[in-house]
Amino acid sequence: MAAFSHLSVMPNEVLHWLQPKNGGIYLDGTLGGAGHSRLILENTTDSQLIGLDRDPEALEAATATLEEFSGRVSLHHATFDQAGNILQGLGIEFLDGFLLDLGVSSHQLDTPGRGFSFQQDAPLDMRMNPLSGETAADVVNLADEVDLARIFFEYGEERYSRRIARKIVKRREERAIERTSDLARLVRDAIPGGQKPSRIHPATRVFQALRIYVNDELGQVARGVDVGINLLRPGGRLVVISFHSLEDRIVKHLFRDRARGCVCPPRLPVCQCHQSPDIKILTRKGIKAAEDEVAKNPRSRSAILRAVERLT
Ligand SMILES: C[S@@+](CC[C@H](N)C(=O)[O-])C[C@H]1O[C@@H](n2cnc3c(N)ncnc32)[C@H](O)[C@@H]1O
């Protein structure tokens, strides 16, 4: 594996909102290069860190990065929505903190063979876990036209979704679309004005949509945030960093629902559900990276951090 390069976003903000304590138990559901995990371990004594990643390459890198803390660390190849089962296997009931830094790492984006980027020619793969599931090529070559258009529209907010889907279906009747460069060219040709130079590549939204779909990223976020809140002890904190509005909207709504408690219809004069809030929202507005960080790490420009604290 090439050297793992990924600059952790908002390191100071993660420490500020997660507030890791000596002796606490923390779960990093998106280990990546383990930059955030390392911060938690360096800033506490006797704490324990459970790290998860669905990408075996990230686990390999994290194992090396966290070697000096190996007595306090337990790393697992798993998706973060499986955190409950992993903790059960370790005999851990509750956590003091749960961290999610969503999306792909720079390492995944920049490794041509992974097929995440239209900047490099590679097999159209895009699976964060290359050991299982459908590849982006499977989706592009097998999904019907209506489903393709829906994927591009829902997950990429692509206004030419139908036109692109039609073009893909027509093209694959001649030969399969197997490479990132094939798809990028095809999208560019399908979009009106796609040939003109522009600040963002015309295939950006289609690539984002396929990546989200192939990795069920939105389903993972919805389940992961719920699981994370359920696993916190009172006073424990969940911190989530998202990178696009689709993810952030899910996080924001889930936080709001769990912070509201009562789910009775507004027409009922008296609460009948007797549900009380189980979290307090700590960040009324999403927190953005500071300007100096954005200057050093352009990836942090789109990051939005939200945090909650478990009440009961
Ligand atoms: C943005 S990187 C995390 C970087 C990390 N915080 C650091 O400081 O180095 C996201 C990582 O989360 C992993 N990932 C994304 N979705 C996941 C999921 N549902 N379950 C487990 N890992 C996931 C990716 O494979 C990637 O390695």
Side-chain angles (χ1 to χ4, degrees):
M1 178 178 66
F4 196 102
S5 72
H6 179 86
L7 206 53
S8 305
V9 299
M10 294 204 257
N12 297 332
E13 291 83 351
V14 166
L15 282 182
H16 175 81
W17 293 105
L18 196 63
Q19 276 189 358
K21 294 182 197 58
N22 297 340
I25 308 179
Y26 295 90
L27 186 138
D28 181 347
T30 50
L31 258 179
H36 287 129
S37 286
R38 198 180 163 87
L39 264 185
I40 295 169
L41 290 159
E42 277 171 350
N43 281 277
T44 50
T45 53
D46 297 330
S47 62
Q48 233 179 301
L49 183 119
I50 296 100
L52 315 181
D53 205 292
R54 69 201 306 189
D55 184 346
E57 283 195 5
L59 280 172
E60 198 186 320
T63 306
T65 305
L66 302 179
E67 197 182 352
E68 65 187 278
F69 301 101
S70 57
R72 292 160 60 192
V73 165
S74 166
L75 305 184
H76 304 264
H77 183 218
T79 49
F80 53 67
D81 65 342
Q82 297 169 324
N85 298 340
I86 300 287
L87 290 185
Q88 205 177 21
L90 296 170
I92 296 172
E93 202 173 355
F94 295 115
L95 295 167
D96 296 281
F98 191 114
L99 173 67
L100 294 176
D101 172 19
L102 300 169
V104 280
S105 65
S106 309
H107 177 78
Q108 287 166 326
L109 268 182
D110 298 342
T111 305
R114 304 294 300 266
F116 284 108
S117 170
F118 46 76
Q119 315 273 18
Q120 301 128 339
D121 179 42
L124 197 52
D125 190 319
M126 298 199 195
R127 289 170 301 170
M128 292 190 209
N129 177 5
L131 305 177
S132 82
E134 274 184 315
T135 65
D138 292 335
V139 178
V140 164
N141 290 298
L142 299 173
D144 69 30
E145 190 177 320
V146 173
D147 284 342
L148 279 176
R150 184 185 54 79
I151 291 168
F152 300 151
F153 185 72
E154 275 182 21
Y155 302 141
E157 298 175 287
E158 171 55 68
R159 58 195 281 229
Y160 298 112
S161 54
R162 289 205 213 132
R163 196 190 271 250
I164 296 167
R166 203 176 316 130
K167 185 112 181 164
I168 287 177
V169 169
K170 196 149 177 262
R171 220 323 277 289
R172 75 190 190 194
E173 281 165 8
E174 295 156 28
R175 65 192 152 90
I177 301 156
E178 302 281 7
R179 317 256 333 155
T180 51
S181 57
D182 279 350
L183 181 65
R185 211 174 310 118
L186 193 149
V187 174
R188 194 194 56 199
D189 295 346
I191 288 182
Q195 315 277 357
K196 290 195 202 135
S198 87
R199 205 169 51 80
I200 71 159
H201 190 286
T204 306
R205 286 176 294 273
V206 164
F207 271 66
Q208 172 187 302
L210 282 170
R211 195 198 88 196
I212 291 176
Y213 179 78
V214 163
N215 295 291
D216 183 24
E217 290 182 39
L218 303 185
Q220 281 287 326
V221 176
R223 294 190 296 277
V225 165
D226 238 15
V227 165
I229 292 174
N230 293 344
L231 290 170
L232 293 176
R233 71 172 92 256
R237 290 183 166 201
L238 168 70
V239 173
V240 185
I241 306 174
S242 12
F243 289 86
H244 53 77
S245 55
L246 297 172
E247 275 170 354
D248 185 52
R249 206 173 303 145
I250 293 174
V251 175
K252 197 167 66 180
H253 289 168
L254 282 169
F255 281 6
R256 197 191 52 199
D257 290 349
R258 303 252 338 220
R260 191 169 45 209
C262 172
V263 291
C264 293
R267 67 188 150 73
L268 288 187
V270 182
C271 170
Q272 311 241 312
C273 74
H274 306 298
Q275 286 193 40
S276 48
D278 50 13
I279 55 167
K280 173 170 84 180
I281 296 176
L282 302 173
T283 49
R284 201 174 55 80
K285 280 188 159 181
I287 308 290
K288 306 277 287 171
E291 271 175 35
D292 59 338
E293 182 180 354
V294 175
K296 277 186 265 164
N297 181 7
R299 202 177 153 270
S300 65
R301 184 186 305 280
S302 43
I304 303 174
L305 180 151
R306 294 185 188 272
V308 295
E309 186 173 295
R310 178 88 198 210
L311 293 173
T312 51

